């Protein structure tokens, strides 16, 4: 019963605003924003977007929960996955993880309080780029 009451209260305190393709959702737990504007998506993830790539439909989110902030963007380009990988490897020369398996590439850079991941792969005849940035105190981490 208590769980149902808490969900009921949360739903009634949730506010959604949709303006020109930009959606803002405010909940008691935090906020979620989405955009199809490449400039705003780039600002949110703090990473240069691949030249000529377009933001995929519903491909951008910006979320804050407590002290943790997550921003993601998905991009599409007609360039090869290896060309995209070369571009991002040059942007993150000190990446902690760089892997390649066929046409799938992953780059991970940062530390426990500021992490950026970039995944690149082929999808439907295009190259899909997924960039995620997490900042602030990560859930499940301790200060030890």
């Amino acid at each position: 019963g208590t769980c149902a009451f808490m969900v009921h209260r949360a739903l009634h305190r949730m506010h959604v605003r949709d303006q020109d393709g930009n959606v803002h959702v405010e909940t008691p737990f935090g906020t979620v924003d989405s955009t199809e504007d490449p400039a705003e998506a780039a600002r949110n993830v703090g990473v240069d977007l691949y030249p000529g790539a377009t933001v995929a439909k519903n491909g951008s989110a910006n979320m804050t929960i407590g002290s943790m902030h997550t921003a993601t963007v998905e991009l599409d380009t007609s360039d090869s996955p290896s060309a995209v990988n070369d571009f991002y490897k040059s942007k993150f020369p000190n990446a902690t993880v760089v892997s390649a398996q066929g046409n799938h590439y992953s780059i991970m850079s940062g530390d426990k309080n500021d992490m950026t991941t970039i995944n690149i792969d082929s999808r439907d005849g295009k190259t899909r780029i997924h960039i995620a940035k997490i900042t602030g105190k990560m859930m499940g981490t301790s200060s030890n």
Side-chain angles (χ1 to χ4, degrees):
T2 302
C3 183
F5 175 73
M6 296 298 285
V7 169
H8 174 74
R9 284 186 58 120
L11 289 175
H12 284 289
R13 292 184 177 179
M14 184 170 67
H15 303 282
V16 178
R17 185 178 66 234
D18 184 353
Q19 182 177 353
D20 300 326
N22 297 319
V23 178
H24 175 79
V25 179
E26 193 170 317
T27 75
F29 309 108
T31 61
V32 178
D33 294 289
S34 71
T35 184
E36 293 179 13
D37 176 10
E40 186 168 341
R43 276 192 303 276
N44 292 340
V45 293
V47 174
D48 291 338
L49 301 186
Y50 186 77
T54 58
V55 177
K57 185 164 176 66
N58 301 319
S60 173
N62 192 17
M63 180 172 54
T64 302
I65 298 176
S67 63
M68 185 178 76
H69 178 255
T70 303
T72 64
V73 65
E74 285 195 337
L75 307 164
D76 290 320
T77 181
S78 59
D79 290 355
S80 72
S82 63
V84 175
N85 182 59
D86 290 344
F87 173 83
Y88 282 110
K89 274 181 30 181
S90 73
K91 300 291 182 187
F92 293 93
N94 299 320
T96 52
V97 175
V98 177
S99 69
Q101 232 175 7
N103 274 337
H104 179 80
Y105 300 87
S106 294
I107 300 170
M108 187 180 298
S109 183
D111 58 35
K112 68 179 184 174
N113 293 316
D114 186 357
M115 180 65 63
T116 300
T117 60
I118 301 169
N119 291 299
I120 305 157
D121 58 25
S122 295
R123 184 179 297 179
D124 300 327
K126 293 185 177 186
T127 297
R128 173 65 53 99
I129 308 161
H130 179 87
I131 303 171
K133 181 169 183 113
I134 303 172
T135 56
K137 186 170 192 252
M138 311 296 174
M139 301 184 75
T141 62
S142 66
S143 58
N144 295 335

